[in-house]
Amino acid sequence: PGMLRPGGTAEMTRVYLIRHGQTQGNLERRYIGSTDQPLCPQGRAALEGRTMPPVDRVYVSPLRRCRETAAILYPGLPQEVVPDLRECSFGAFELHTYEELKGDAAYQAWLDSGGISAPPGGEGKASQQARTVRAFRELAARHPNGTAALVVHGGTIMSLLEALEGSGQFYRWQAPNGGGYLCRWDGHRLAVEAA
């Protein structure tokens, strides 16, 4: 349901979807999903000194890399940890690189599915998308005509925008470490205003 004003039009919520800063695993091009890695020194340095637009609230994944990123980008603002905004688990592929996995039949099957099927022992795309969209809708409902930052993961951002932006594209929304998108939410759709 949309957030309605007395005149009947949906109120807009500004949402910053921000990917966490770089970790050692990101530098090494490893699958880092549920592994709780901190920011690496290069990741911290790339974030420090940035001036971010003001927000009413900061929501974060429970994983350390997101909490550390939010503390650098929004110092002094309290963070609300939202477990369902976490990255998916890559299961048996966690902490491995493409080079390490390329001969693995299960890995090839996962790639052939476009990442839709669940990795062995991991979470499938549909499950991750359902929980992240549900969490986002709950948070957005708290901020009619307000502004919030979600400091989360690349997969979380791609899942949200694939489901709610309208184009139905997943890989279009790959954000670099520390990057992201400014969006407006009308209760039904996320409109991307800027990268």
Side-chain angles (χ1 to χ4, degrees):
M3 297 156 280
L4 298 179
R5 289 186 221 175
T9 59
E11 293 186 17
M12 302 297 270
T13 300
R14 289 191 102 168
V15 180
Y16 294 91
L17 300 175
I18 303 166
R19 185 179 177 202
H20 62 79
Q22 201 167 46
T23 67
Q24 189 62 37
N26 295 142
L27 281 175
E28 296 170 2
R29 303 184 60 81
R30 296 184 180 281
Y31 288 100
I32 307 294
S34 59
T35 302
D36 199 9
Q37 287 196 333
L39 297 176
C40 65
Q42 299 93 316
R44 281 186 171 283
L47 297 172
E48 288 170 355
R50 280 198 197 173
T51 302
M52 300 301 290
V55 295
D56 302 319
R57 295 295 304 260
V58 177
Y59 297 104
V60 295
S61 155
L63 297 179
R64 185 174 169 187
R65 56 196 182 263
C66 294
R67 292 183 286 115
E68 290 178 351
T69 298
I72 294 168
L73 296 180
Y74 293 101
L77 276 182
Q79 301 174 14
E80 183 173 334
V81 174
V82 183
D84 281 344
L85 293 178
R86 71 192 179 280
E87 182 64 280
C88 70
S89 167
F90 291 108
F93 307 149
E94 266 302 307
L95 297 176
H96 293 285
T97 65
Y98 169 80
E99 287 300 317
E100 293 168 351
L101 294 167
K102 67 182 178 183
D104 183 309
Y107 179 64
Q108 190 58 53
W110 180 67
L111 290 179
D112 290 345
S113 80
I116 291 173
S117 64
E123 181 180 24
K125 184 177 173 214
S127 169
Q128 188 226 8
Q129 190 168 63
R131 72 172 161 75
T132 57
V133 167
R134 182 178 60 248
F136 173 81
R137 287 181 179 278
E138 290 169 4
L139 297 176
R142 297 184 197 177
H143 292 279
N145 214 23
T147 304
L150 277 64
V151 183
V152 293
H153 306 272
T156 304
I157 292 170
M158 290 189 291
S159 288
L160 287 172
L161 289 174
E162 178 190 36
L164 300 173
E165 179 269 339
S167 68
Q169 296 179 13
F170 183 74
Y171 293 105
R172 173 182 181 182
W173 304 112
Q174 294 182 62
N177 290 108
Y181 302 95
L182 166 60
C183 306
R184 280 195 177 270
W185 171 248
D186 67 2
H188 304 285
R189 187 174 171 270
L190 274 172
V192 176
E193 293 187 340

